Amino acid sequence: MSMPFYVSPEQMMKDRADYARKGIARGRALVALQTPSCIVIVAENPSTTLRKVSEIYDRIAFAGVGKYNEFDQLRVAGVRAAELRGYQYSRNDVDARSLANQYAQVLGDVFSTSGPKPLEVELLVAEVGDTQEHDRLFHILYDGTLLDERRFSVLGGDAEGISKRLESTYRDDLDLATAIKVAVSALTGPERSVAADDLEIATLVRNGRRRSFSRISDEAVAAALR
Amino acid sequence: MTMPRFAAGDDPGASFPDLLRKLGIDPFPSMSGAVVEANLRGGGSDNAIPHATTCLALTYDRGVVMAGDRRATMGNIISTRSVEKVVPADDLSGVAIAGTAGLAMEMIKLFQLQLEYYEKVEGQALSLEGKANQLSMMVRSNMPAAMQGLGVVPLFAGYDPLVSRGRLGGRYEERDFVAVGSGSMLASTVLRVGWRKNLSRDAAIELAARALWEASDTDTATGGPDILRGIYPIVASIDANGWSRVSDESLASTYEAIMREVRSR
């Protein structure tokens, strides 16, 4: 009978975290910015069909980085959780905080106990409010850590570098076109540039209508970057 | 509440009713025969399939016009004067319902939810034909209740971007116009006489208003324009730009003209 090697819990957690972090760092990053008119989410994504940013509910958007199949399953689970709550209670009872908690629970659970490997994803659950103060940006890490962020949120590899660039360029009174420019230059850094059709940009618009999520076309993105 | 997650082979996909069933919430519960029988005995069983209303749809050059009266009845009593039986299902389609009011409202809610749910899960909206099939499946799921007298008779219409025209239907797809409910015979006669190819939107609205007028003139379960309270039928058009409801002011003048004409007969 073989004896399993002893691995200390610290070592096991560290190994799992390294594994997840490496997986996430392989993909491109994503940023979300609060502006007076909307929350804008900007991702580098050459695919026009496999989305990183999508609609969850009336005022709630989802964005994921890392392994596509893993965060897409979580996206669908989020749509289901939100729709079920809206169906059983009321549309007003669906909020980002509860959804973010559920995501944190799933990711934490897979990370520490149930999964053979941690999920290689980072998620953003954004909710647009009546005013900028009521916006919510919940950032969920691969191990279930839940962060409540303000002003902007950065997900994915090189998050530190991008955050640093945004610290110096972000203001809370940006219009949409400028916000897109700021987000893109933070994502790429000074050395690199990215074409409009390699960007996926969506907004949660503060317009009082029921469904606030909308995608921004490549032409509009190109115009904003010009 | 925990997040619903499923194994690959067990996933209910883009169907919200299937998701509900997986979680043990049946949106179309089968009623116990005894309960329904008792209800029918108590409330009189004359209208075993109650569909007291008139809803209609007709095509015009850029899409479809849908219309429905506002009256809800319980036997010979008018229970509500301002029911909205014609509602948008999503941006490019609408649904009108005759039948048991509570179940019908519930079904409309589930249908609207399903269209949006599908769009979000799949990342693109259903085709118009897909939407119609979804609704017909819901009506079929409701068969146990319908057989016990709680039927729902919907009418579905919308703009189909694949063929760039309006399409409509009740039991099956119709080409030009369709009407459901107790006043449908009266309304469809007016539609049959008045419908022309490529009607303008205004002409189609006028024809819809007139068909409802004639239906309400003879069918007691169909409400006419209630000028005293300012309640007018719901009339809306759907074209490539979506759903647009005709304002009460505009309907008031349409009915004013119809009444002038009736007076001068």
Side-chain angles (χ1 to χ4, degrees):
Chain A
M1 207 175 107
S2 67
M3 284 282 284
F5 288 111
Y6 172 76
V7 184
S8 72
E10 289 87 357
Q11 186 60 43
M12 194 170 78
M13 290 301 152
K14 190 180 166 298
D15 288 351
R16 287 186 152 230
D18 285 345
Y19 178 86
R21 233 181 272 129
K22 253 184 229 160
I24 293 163
R26 268 197 290 274
R28 291 281 155 86
L30 169 160
V31 298
L33 268 59
Q34 280 179 259
T35 77
S37 67
C38 63
I39 294 178
V40 55
I41 305 173
V42 181
E44 270 193 70
N45 184 3
S47 170
T48 52
T49 47
L50 306 179
R51 302 288 194 187
K52 287 183 169 179
V53 188
S54 16
E55 176 185 19
I56 290 245
Y57 211 62
D58 298 349
R59 297 152 79 85
I60 304 174
F62 169 97
V65 295
K67 242 183 144 180
Y68 173 79
N69 66 327
E70 292 182 350
F71 69 72
D72 195 62
Q73 272 177 33
L74 291 168
R75 171 187 72 86
V76 173
V79 171
R80 285 178 177 155
E83 292 283 7
L84 278 170
R85 182 174 273 247
Y87 179 73
Q88 289 181 302
Y89 304 106
S90 130
R91 297 196 85 86
N92 299 324
D93 296 320
V94 180
D95 64 335
R97 187 191 51 84
S98 137
L99 213 54
N101 272 321
Q102 294 180 50
Y103 277 129
Q105 192 186 355
V106 171
L107 288 176
D109 198 37
V110 174
F111 182 81
S112 54
T113 50
S114 67
K117 70 164 197 68
L119 294 173
E120 296 156 70
V121 294
E122 265 182 55
L123 309 179
L124 173 77
V125 179
E127 179 177 35
V128 69
D130 302 329
T131 60
Q132 233 162 316
E133 296 88 71
H134 294 104
D135 286 348
R136 297 279 175 269
L137 295 174
F138 292 108
H139 180 176
I140 305 122
L141 302 183
Y142 53 86
D143 61 353
T145 305
L146 176 56
L147 308 166
D148 174 10
E149 298 188 312
R150 299 262 111 191
R151 300 165 65 225
F152 58 81
S153 186
V154 184
L155 282 75
D158 192 31
E160 264 175 50
I162 295 168
S163 292
K164 206 172 280 170
R165 285 194 283 275
L166 270 179
E167 276 304 341
S168 61
T169 49
Y170 175 84
R171 297 193 324 273
D172 60 6
D173 59 350
L174 297 172
D175 62 51
L176 179 59
T178 327
I180 290 175
K181 237 181 246 173
V182 166
V184 172
S185 65
L187 275 177
T188 56
E191 297 93 49
R192 212 156 57 84
S193 74
V194 60
D197 50 3
D198 286 343
L199 287 166
E200 178 185 347
I201 304 186
T203 56
L204 284 171
V205 190
R206 226 184 294 284
N207 58 7
R209 271 200 242 128
R210 185 171 69 79
R211 289 174 83 177
S212 56
F213 183 87
S214 73
R215 296 188 184 283
I216 297 185
S217 67
D218 284 348
E219 296 81 57
V221 172
L225 290 180
R226 217 169 281 139
Chain B
M1 212 178 205
T2 50
M3 199 160 257
R5 300 182 73 209
F6 301 93
D10 203 34
D11 196 292
S15 162
F16 193 72
D18 282 355
L19 172 67
L20 289 176
R21 285 189 199 102
K22 284 260 182 236
L23 299 170
I25 312 164
D26 195 337
F28 302 104
S30 54
M31 320 234 160
S32 106
V35 171
V36 175
E37 224 166 273
N39 283 344
L40 287 178
R41 220 176 295 132
S45 54
D46 282 349
N47 39 1
I49 299 176
H51 55 281
T53 189
T54 305
C55 293
L56 58 90
L58 65 150
T59 58
Y60 70 102
D61 58 358
R62 282 180 297 131
V64 287
V65 163
M66 298 186 83
D69 76 306
R70 306 286 292 269
R71 180 174 289 178
T73 52
M74 289 194 301
N76 62 320
I77 301 291
I78 298 176
S79 54
T80 317
R81 297 173 196 278
S82 55
V83 187
E84 310 216 339
K85 300 170 194 166
V86 182
V87 293
D90 66 354
D91 288 345
L92 291 179
S93 65
V95 55
I97 288 212
T100 317
L103 276 181
M105 292 305 162
E106 188 75 354
M107 190 184 285
I108 289 187
K109 188 179 142 194
L110 190 66
F111 181 56
Q112 290 169 325
L113 211 155
Q114 164 61 16
L115 297 188
E116 197 178 308
Y117 177 75
Y118 181 97
E119 184 188 328
K120 284 191 282 200
V121 170
E122 291 292 319
Q124 59 183 8
L126 266 170
S127 65
L128 192 71
E129 212 162 301
K131 292 174 197 170
N133 282 330
Q134 287 277 300
L135 184 59
S136 102
M137 255 149 73
M138 282 185 191
V139 175
R140 207 160 53 226
S141 303
N142 192 45
M143 274 305 260
M147 295 310 285
Q148 289 164 323
L150 301 172
V152 176
V153 188
L155 184 163
F156 180 69
Y159 178 82
D160 191 344
L162 294 176
V163 291
S164 302
R165 65 177 168 85
R167 297 172 70 180
L168 44 83
R171 295 168 197 82
Y172 28 73
E173 182 166 6
E174 310 268 356
R175 242 186 41 200
D176 310 327
F177 56 84
V178 60
V180 296
S182 55
S184 60
M185 291 293 272
L186 301 154
S188 50
T189 305
V190 177
L191 292 174
R192 191 173 306 117
V193 172
W195 189 86
R196 299 284 176 275
K197 237 178 251 165
N198 295 322
L199 284 174
S200 70
R201 178 172 182 265
D202 287 346
I205 289 168
E206 206 270 342
L207 183 58
R210 187 175 291 271
L212 283 179
W213 168 276
E214 295 298 343
S216 70
D217 211 29
T218 307
D219 176 33
T220 52
T222 300
D226 190 340
I227 293 154
L228 188 63
R229 299 181 182 80
I231 300 169
Y232 291 90
I234 294 180
V235 184
S237 68
I238 309 168
D239 61 14
N241 298 319
W243 169 275
S244 109
R245 185 167 160 181
V246 180
S247 72
D248 278 354
E249 292 76 50
S250 150
L251 282 175
S253 64
T254 307
Y255 274 111
E256 192 55 49
I258 291 175
M259 282 186 283
R260 252 200 315 277
E261 189 246 323
V262 171
R263 264 186 231 114
S264 70
R265 273 174 195 172

